[in-house]
Amino acid sequence: VREMILSETVEQRRLALGKLLPMQKSDFVGIFRAMKGFPVTIRLLDPPLHEFLPAPGDDVSDLASLMGLSVGDLATRIETLRELNPMLGHRGCRLAITYPEIYEMQVEAIVAAACTLVRDEGFSLVPEIMIPLVSVSDELAILERLTRETAERVIAEYGVSMDYLVGTMIEFPRACLTADELANHADFFSFGTNDLTQTTFGLSRDDSSKFLPEYIERGILPHDPFGSM
């Protein structure tokens, strides 16, 4: 994953993603097999990239050797990827708009895993592929097209008949207000109540415990908004 994140060219990134593909496929085979008979919704890659990178002060020599870079060059590259507010930064669908090959690999792994079980074990399943962190309909339109093109290619390669769903999670107020536009590109919606609460109230779920108890005690809020709708 670090090799993929730190790649500077599409070719380098695809090489790293090629190593991840069989691992992802194996994971999804296990999930589908364990969930046989039940719906499975898979949220595509979302965490901020910094979560995968060495922290300041960590030894980066082994990673530098793997990447064919000097320790200094790698440290500089890591620093350029750090964000001041990563939870609202380069993550979710924004990552895939910038680097579509990442979601292409994940969708291929999901659909290939499902096709393998349909073909080899007689499964009947409908993968539900969720595109995260959408707030603009054009984002979803672009990534829906990428998802469907990749899925159709893989299904044709396996020679099976299988349905799948492409949807998104409503987790920003803007997504709520433009849900009618997003619906043109989605088979389903899920709701991300944590991020909706954070961005609607302007609260941090990690820090609000310092003052929310007093808000509740004084009747400013009837209850913790992270615990009840």
Side-chain angles (χ1 to χ4, degrees):
V1 173
R2 287 175 168 179
E3 187 178 347
M4 179 268 291
I5 292 170
L6 293 167
S7 297
E8 295 187 306
T9 67
V10 174
E11 292 74 20
Q12 289 177 341
R13 201 154 33 251
R14 286 195 178 278
L15 185 63
L17 290 168
K19 299 175 185 177
L20 286 170
L21 178 60
M23 301 179 198
Q24 287 265 275
K25 179 185 174 183
S26 177
D27 287 342
F28 294 134
V29 165
I31 291 170
F32 288 134
R33 186 178 284 133
M35 292 292 289
K36 185 174 184 179
F38 294 94
V40 177
T41 303
I42 297 172
R43 179 183 174 97
L44 299 180
L45 186 67
D46 177 37
L49 298 183
H50 80 280
E51 293 186 358
F52 295 102
L53 299 176
D58 284 357
D59 184 8
V60 299
S61 56
D62 288 344
L63 185 57
S65 177
L66 176 66
M67 295 290 297
L69 298 171
S70 69
V71 171
D73 286 344
L74 179 59
T76 299
R77 175 74 174 141
I78 291 172
E79 188 58 34
T80 63
L81 290 171
R82 297 201 185 281
E83 298 179 295
L84 294 177
N85 192 352
M87 291 307 296
L88 296 178
H90 195 187
R91 52 174 285 216
C93 66
R94 303 161 190 169
L95 184 66
I97 292 291
T98 311
Y99 306 124
E101 55 273 12
I102 296 175
Y103 275 15
E104 184 180 347
M105 181 278 293
Q106 279 206 295
V107 172
E108 180 174 348
I110 292 166
V111 178
C115 287
T116 297
L117 292 175
V118 169
R119 184 192 62 190
D120 298 346
E121 300 183 28
F123 271 57
S124 176
L125 51 85
V126 180
E128 301 176 9
I129 302 169
M130 179 194 291
I131 298 168
L133 225 70
V134 166
S135 58
V136 180
S137 62
D138 283 351
E139 292 173 316
L140 187 54
I142 291 169
L143 296 177
E144 179 210 9
R145 184 166 58 250
L146 171 72
T147 299
R148 294 195 188 280
E149 288 174 354
T150 303
E152 294 298 332
R153 171 177 59 80
V154 175
I155 290 171
E157 289 172 358
Y158 276 80
V160 302
S161 177
M162 188 186 72
D163 293 328
Y164 59 92
L165 302 178
V166 181
T168 190
M169 179 172 279
I170 303 294
E171 47 199 322
F172 289 143
R174 192 183 194 284
C176 293
L177 295 173
T178 61
D180 58 333
E181 298 174 15
L182 296 176
N184 292 321
H185 308 288
D187 296 321
F188 68 89
F189 284 159
S190 295
F191 291 88
T193 53
N194 273 328
D195 279 344
L196 269 174
T197 302
Q198 290 193 109
T199 53
T200 299
F201 281 87
L203 294 174
S204 164
R205 65 182 174 187
D206 299 313
D207 303 313
S208 58
S209 61
K210 296 181 177 69
F211 57 85
L212 275 181
E214 185 165 348
Y215 269 59
I216 296 167
E217 182 179 340
R218 296 177 63 176
I220 299 172
L221 291 173
H223 44 244
D224 183 344
F226 290 103
S228 173
M229 296 291 284

